[in-house]
Amino acid sequence: MTMIQLLTLLLAQSIALNLGCLSGIIAGLAGSSTGQAILIGGGTVGGAMTLFLTAVGVYG
């Protein structure tokens, strides 16, 4: 991996983690239980990373 690819991957992971935390917090504040909020946050992280890796596969 080149340095640009590595930095792009780290940026994508950071963004996905931030999105997951935010969606988990929003779900918790909306009344979901802790377990449901964790699953919602994890699903968001998985979805964001899937979109990123798909884009890398298509354009890379």
Side-chain angles (χ1 to χ4, degrees), residues 33-56:
S33 68
T34 304
Q36 287 175 330
I38 291 171
L39 288 174
I40 289 169
T44 304
V45 170
M49 287 307 297
T50 300
L51 288 173
F52 171 75
L53 293 174
T54 302
V56 167

Side-chain angles (χ1 to χ4, degrees), residues 18-34:
N18 286 325
L19 286 173
C21 288
L22 183 64
S23 65
I25 290 170
I26 290 172
L29 293 176
S32 297
S33 68
T34 304

